[in-house]
Amino acid sequence: MLKARETVQSLPTYHPPLGGREGLRLDFNENTVGCSPRVAEKLREISRDALARYPERGAVEATVAEFLGRNVDEVLLTNGVDEGIHLLCETYLEPGDEVLIVVPTFAMYEIYARATGAKVISIPAGEDFVFPTDAVLSAISPRTRLIAIANPNNPTGTAVSRADLLTIAEAAPHAALLVDEAYFEFHDKTMVGDIAQVPNLFIARTFSKAYGLAGLRIGILAGEAGQMTMVRRVSSPYNVNAAALACLPEALADSEYVSQYVRESVTNRRRLEEFFAAEGIPFWPSRANFVLARFDELRVPFVKGMRERGILVRDRNSDYGCAGCVRVTAGTESQMDLLFEAMKDVLRDLRQGQVR
């Protein structure tokens, strides 16, 4: 009888709530108004012949490299950040190697690492989810081959300083340091300028959040040119589809569209934090496009009540250290007005015992 590898059988499963996502989507940190109109127009222009050909990513990688201020041999387009994580695991991990992650964080770091037979060492974040730099440094060993850090982190929204990340990279020259900048646009701090001087540093970016291209599945993995040569060996030459390659230059060119959305999202992130403070709901200040808040015993009926009002928020109760927590994406001003009205109604009913 055919059986999957023991490593695969023991993997944790990632179950994002993808079914029935109708309504105002404030659960996945997506762009809440959609992609640039220039991207939509480009999609309409894609010909039948273009879709019949295998995609060629080289020219678009050159465009992206210029956008990042890097050389083209330092940049690889990927099928979202997920593939970038997967490629690093396949390039650098052997069974028995060690991978360091700080929890809570993005689930796919652990899943892709453990799939190789590597041992994942989870380091708890500090009080209020502060990044535990000293604990990470203490956990580095000769077996450490990958350190994965989301900056800003998901689901907490907390950030790590460049100085601390450089210290970690220097302390583990034998390990790949992945800095996942999926929420870079809302944080506006990056380490992409350090990759030439720090040969074990890799930066991941996505176009699923600020750019509104989650459905096209396209991201970036950047690193020192020599290391990227090795990563490319395990990458498919056709990993990014033709529609995504056609649309990405348009998305990059329409910088004002993205900038305007980011400005509005950041402003409304602050409004969301102010709302939670006024309602007496504990939350963690965020550097991303969402806020994590603790609802404790109100969590389940709160999520249910919001869905009944046509607004989706994300239950993060199962994440390490996030018992009773819900994550809410910050959208546009009008969307936040709807959110605040609905949250006031739900919280009032819950506090009066009218919702179970």
Side-chain angles (χ1 to χ4, degrees):
M1 175 178 164
L2 179 65
K3 292 185 178 181
R5 291 184 292 120
E6 291 292 334
T7 297
V8 174
Q9 292 185 47
S10 66
L11 283 179
T13 52
Y14 181 44
H15 292 297
L18 287 174
R21 294 183 65 229
E22 298 301 323
L24 177 54
R25 297 173 288 101
L26 302 180
D27 53 344
F28 269 37
N29 307 329
E30 299 153 322
N31 184 310
T32 58
V33 295
C35 65
S36 159
R38 290 179 57 168
V39 170
E41 180 61 29
K42 188 65 179 181
L43 275 172
R44 286 189 285 268
E45 293 175 358
I46 296 175
S47 67
R48 295 165 58 198
D49 180 63
L51 294 178
R53 297 194 301 264
Y54 282 100
E56 299 178 7
R57 69 184 183 217
V60 183
E61 281 182 341
T63 299
V64 171
E66 182 178 3
F67 174 78
L68 294 175
R70 306 308 312 172
N71 296 322
V72 69
D73 57 359
E74 297 172 321
V75 175
L76 174 68
L77 289 178
T78 59
N79 193 273
V81 166
D82 286 47
E83 189 195 15
I85 302 165
H86 192 196
L87 292 175
L88 287 182
C89 291
E90 291 300 315
T91 303
Y92 296 105
L93 297 181
E94 301 276 7
D97 286 343
E98 293 178 356
V99 176
L100 305 184
I101 62 173
V102 173
V103 293
T105 195
F106 185 44
M108 297 309 298
Y109 302 145
E110 178 178 2
I111 292 172
Y112 284 133
R114 284 180 52 180
T116 68
K119 176 183 179 182
V120 175
I121 298 175
S122 297
I123 302 167
E127 186 176 359
D128 287 329
F129 298 124
V130 170
F131 188 82
T133 303
D134 290 342
V136 173
L137 292 171
S138 297
I140 294 171
S141 78
R143 296 296 299 171
T144 305
R145 292 282 284 162
L146 174 64
I147 304 169
I149 299 171
N151 194 38
N153 187 44
N154 177 25
T156 63
T158 53
V160 195
S161 71
R162 174 177 175 270
D164 283 356
L165 292 169
L166 289 175
T167 297
I168 292 168
E170 183 178 1
H174 55 292
L177 172 61
L178 170 63
V179 179
D180 180 352
E181 296 182 349
Y183 297 95
F184 154 74
E185 290 81 8
F186 309 97
H187 180 45
D188 200 31
K189 296 184 186 298
T190 181
M191 293 189 68
V192 76
D194 296 300
I195 56 178
Q197 292 73 41
V198 186
N200 60 329
L201 173 65
F202 296 88
I203 305 297
R205 293 269 187 92
T206 184
F207 296 99
S208 297
K209 308 300 182 184
Y211 285 84
L213 302 181
L216 289 181
R217 309 305 305 134
I218 188 163
I220 301 168
L221 184 66
E224 187 270 333
Q227 298 295 341
M228 292 304 296
T229 298
M230 296 296 103
V231 175
R232 286 177 184 274
R233 291 188 179 186
V234 296
S235 172
S236 165
Y238 310 118
N239 59 331
V240 180
N241 68 75
L245 291 173
C247 291
L248 183 55
E250 295 298 322
L252 294 176
D254 199 355
S255 59
E256 180 52 34
Y257 180 86
V258 176
S259 296
Q260 173 58 36
Y261 178 77
V262 168
R263 285 193 297 268
E264 192 167 5
S265 180
V266 169
T267 296
N268 289 311
R269 179 186 72 198
R270 298 191 189 104
R271 290 180 66 200
L272 187 52
E273 292 173 344
E274 291 167 359
F275 176 90
F276 287 140
E279 291 288 335
I281 297 171
F283 69 93
W284 290 268
S286 173
R287 297 295 301 174
N289 67 334
F290 58 82
V291 178
L292 182 72
R294 176 161 281 142
F295 289 78
D296 293 323
E297 70 279 0
L298 300 181
R299 170 185 57 87
V300 172
F302 173 77
V303 173
K304 179 175 180 288
M306 294 300 290
R307 177 179 281 273
E308 289 172 349
R309 287 163 174 80
I311 300 176
L312 307 181
V313 295
R314 185 76 180 271
D315 188 335
R316 304 303 313 215
N317 181 71
S318 61
D319 291 272
Y320 179 90
C322 294
C325 288
V326 175
R327 190 190 67 199
V328 184
T329 303
T332 65
E333 181 176 2
S334 60
Q335 290 169 341
M336 291 298 99
D337 290 342
L338 291 173
L339 170 70
F340 296 146
E341 182 180 354
M343 286 201 295
K344 286 177 182 177
D345 287 347
V346 172
L347 289 170
R348 182 190 62 246
D349 290 348
L350 289 174
R351 287 163 175 165
Q352 293 176 353
Q354 297 177 13
V355 177
R356 298 292 181 186

